Amino acid sequence: MNRTDAFVEPAATHAAAHESEASIGVSLPHESAALHVSGEATYTDDVPELQGTLHAALGLSRHAHARIVSMDLDAVRNAPGVIAVLTAEDIPGENNCGPVLHDDPILAVEEVLYLGQPVFAVIAESHELARRAAALAKSDDVIRYEPLEAILTPAEAKARQQFVLPPLHLKRGEPAAKIAAAPNRISGTFEVGGQEQFYLEGQIAYAVPKEMDGMLVYSSTQHPSEMQQVVAHMLDWPAHNVVCECRRMGGGFGGKESQSALFACVASLAAKRLRRPVKLRADRDDDFMITGKRHDAIYEYEAGFDDSGRILGARVEIALRAGYSADLSGAVATRAVCHFDNAYYLSDVDIVALCCKTNTQSNTAFRGFGGPQGALVMEVMLDSIARQLNCDPLDVRLANYYGIGERDTTPYGQRVEDNIIAPLTDELLGTSDYRARRTAIAAFNANSPVLKRGLAFSPVKFGISFNVPFLNQAGALVHVYKDGSVLVNHGGTEMGQGLNTKVAQVVANQFGLPLSRVRVTATDTSKIANTSATAASTGSDLNGKAAEAAARTIRERLAELAARQLGGSAGDAQFANGQVSVNGGAMPFEQLVGAAYLARVQLWSDGFYTTPKVHWDAKTLTGHPFYYFAYGAAVSEVVIDTLTGEWKLVRADVLHDAGQSINPAIDIGQVEGGFIQGMGWLTTEELWWNCDGRLMTHAPSTYKIPAVSDTPAAFHVQLYQNHNAEPTVFRSKAVGEPPLLLPFSVFLAIRDAIAAAVPDAREAPPLRAPATPEAILDALDALQPQRAPQPATEPATTDTAA
Ligand code: MTE
Ligand code: HPA
Ligand code: MOS
């Protein structure tokens, strides 16, 4: 059976999925799985190079903040294999690749604002020769600088009130009065580090000049339309001169939402100037040095609460490191403000978010987009409240959950209408055996002086939609060829998350065809115009609906023809198992398509979708920014070594709400990947800039992302049986980002283990994130000062190591 109605009843859909070969709700492999594992999947660097292709590399600033006194690029021009050296002066149009404000020069002019900022581009015969010549940027003879004072931390920027955008402030009720009157109070500070996206495929663009001032840009980007636009502005061309294409990315994770632009611009500038194809592929170290990351944050918080731990009033200031320019920081900070509540009702609350301007990389989107930075501090606060009350943090969490029909309005004014966090929590507490394990862990800790175990539960409520309402739109184009094969194009981009597979499933389902009959092509700005980034986890919600609409239009035309040929009414036509049936007769899909062609029926269509209900007032920070919420929860158990600070995740149980999943295998993959990636952020991944503002952790040697061996031996990931309360595509829910918040439970379990090591400590463990072994030892030492290493009696010698 196949469904024609947009408003699909969940149970019926589920049954339909299993009957139909098109298999909505079935764990079909990723459409490129075989290509991924065989190495045949083509990424931007695999596009066959045209004859005459040149290679670009970037000359980077050596200072965090300096005036460029003079540039003498002759040595670079004369280096072996160099064809040209380009600077900002060579840009015919706008020297900007910033997505919102125009504060992001493609190549620096007069002043450099961070160490690693591109100042010039070298174009050479080979990648290697271009890199060698670009490295001359390190010489004083090439660029002379007058160093200026650099602001290197959010704390310094905050002290000087130096922001890239005005502060955001959301206040509801009378938080100060409620905190003052509360029977109990906590206050404190917290900090969390940033995170490098570490997509396996680095930033890359390959620009091919075309006739009549045309440019084809192959770009590894989440946002082809934006690449088209910035390249056109830079060249002072209309947008229709530029086509941007992306077949797939080897990961984006937000890092290619805006920051693929610099690479697309430089490759295109060079291709335009030299009338030759030019490729710019950033080396991993350069990628680290040039591009922005997840915003690190420092917090000040305060809360008043009753004896059950229920919050009566709360206040937080979230100071995010924006870096040298605005990039997407405004929307990131807004999402942070809108996720401070996480799954909890806050009647009286004051939230401030600051976008601190520092002389470091311009921070950008990263899975969760500020949401994790907003919610983490709330979870830390609840943990501290529980420790002050000497009760299980789980119970404090439960006491603060959003209610149903009461206590259900977020600080920004949106009601939480689809709340399933309580039953989801109940189920997870049961399957994870939380209460019994809490007792067993206490018993273990009582008998284990060095190794301590910790256990923690944390929930997620994540708002789905771009928090800039107009971005919630998408288009698709479906072609049915005469032989009955189907080609789908949509505005979303594939970065490994399985978007193309889900969209193909949706289209195959419309036509009652197996997935093998549907092919999804590369994303291409000449096919779908004015697309939004594939971001905010909305890829399949938006593009799935647009493709469904396009396919439905064709299907309705086909149904009419079938009814003309077989009798009966078009509305009764069924598309299933490769057959179209109506009025007791049936024919193969391709036979009907062939007949439709001869009957001059249009066999292709576009489709368009906009998300209903969303609106937002950026001045008051109130509205209905999210179409719906996705939920999840996790229980994590760790063991720490209190002598070395080493730790291990022993077991993690995850229950996540993907609505009625279109493809459970892909969704579980997203949950697992998001969990491990979030765990890396909170534990092992540490960005460290030296006192000159040089990022010292710019390669896997010093920046430690989780490996497969960091996956816990017991990793139980389940999808919660649910369907979206809103009529999304097959009642599914977005799943890309929300799971990144699940490993808060890992961080909190480490805190729990530290607390167990110092049972009589009166304060909660002052553990910073990432919880590296050093941070864990620092927290233990702070709770138990006699543990801390005593100062050496002899001054330590410094000349041995180096
Ligand atoms: N999964 C993989 N494998 N690679 C990625 O780059 N990016 C994440 C998430 N999952 C990412 C991923 C981010 S940041 C987002 S916003 C969503 O996927 C985007 O895709 P979707 O909207 O189709 O879920
Ligand atoms: N997520 C990702 N990108 C965005 C968003 C968002 O919520 N809003 C604007 N750009
Ligand atoms: Mo995802 S951070 O919205 O690209």
Side-chain angles (χ1 to χ4, degrees), residues 608-619:
F608 186 66
Y609 177 75
T610 63
T611 309
K613 292 190 178 177
V614 290
H615 57 87
W616 181 245
D617 182 340
K619 282 204 186 72

Side-chain angles (χ1 to χ4, degrees), residues 257 331 335 369 465-468 471 535-536:
E257 181 169 341
R335 194 172 271 279
F369 200 79
S465 292
F466 283 97
N467 62 12
V468 175
L471 294 173

Side-chain angles (χ1 to χ4, degrees), residues 55-83:
H55 298 266
L58 296 163
L60 309 183
S61 155
R62 292 188 292 117
H63 292 275
H65 190 197
R67 198 172 65 81
I68 299 174
V69 177
S70 64
M71 277 204 265
D72 181 356
L73 296 170
D74 284 349
V76 186
R77 273 188 201 100
N78 294 333
V82 172
I83 307 286

Side-chain angles (χ1 to χ4, degrees), residues 397-418:
R397 294 196 156 82
L398 298 179
N400 283 286
Y401 268 174
Y402 274 108
I404 294 184
E406 46 149 17
R407 295 168 53 87
D408 66 352
T409 308
T410 60
Y412 47 93
Q414 174 166 352
R415 281 189 56 219
V416 184
E417 293 164 314
D418 56 5

Side-chain angles (χ1 to χ4, degrees), residues 199 222 249-255 257 365-368 493-499 502 534-541 543 670 677 734-737:
Y199 23 63
Q222 295 171 241
M249 282 160 275
F253 304 110
E257 181 169 341
F366 193 141
R367 205 170 192 171
T493 53
E494 176 64 41
M495 57 195 100
Q497 85 278 40
L499 173 60
K502 290 184 184 178
T534 304
S537 304
T538 59
S540 48
D541 281 12
N543 298 287
Q670 286 291 297
Q677 191 167 43
V735 70
E737 296 168 284

Side-chain angles (χ1 to χ4, degrees), residues 207 306 340 366 469:
D306 69 14
F340 174 60
F366 193 141

Side-chain angles (χ1 to χ4, degrees), residues 345-467:
Y345 176 66
L346 302 170
S347 60
D348 297 78
V349 60
D350 190 303
I351 309 166
V352 171
L354 307 172
C355 293
C356 298
K357 181 170 183 172
T358 54
N359 293 107
T360 49
Q361 292 80 358
S362 187
N363 284 335
T364 190
F366 193 141
R367 205 170 192 171
F369 200 79
Q373 293 94 319
L376 179 63
V377 66
M378 169 54 63
E379 295 299 341
V380 167
M381 289 166 68
L382 290 170
D383 194 72
S384 297
I385 289 172
R387 296 196 188 279
Q388 185 165 321
L389 294 174
N390 202 17
C391 65
D392 189 329
L394 166 67
D395 296 313
V396 171
R397 294 196 156 82
L398 298 179
N400 283 286
Y401 268 174
Y402 274 108
I404 294 184
E406 46 149 17
R407 295 168 53 87
D408 66 352
T409 308
T410 60
Y412 47 93
Q414 174 166 352
R415 281 189 56 219
V416 184
E417 293 164 314
D418 56 5
N419 184 358
I420 47 139
I421 194 64
L424 186 150
T425 299
D426 280 349
E427 191 178 323
L428 179 68
L429 295 179
T431 54
S432 66
D433 209 12
Y434 179 93
R435 302 271 181 194
R437 282 165 66 201
R438 167 66 69 208
T439 313
I441 285 168
F444 171 91
N445 285 339
N447 294 312
S448 174
V450 172
L451 298 183
K452 296 288 179 184
R453 290 190 176 238
L455 182 72
F457 163 89
S458 67
V460 183
K461 167 182 128 289
F462 195 89
I464 303 299
S465 292
F466 283 97
N467 62 12

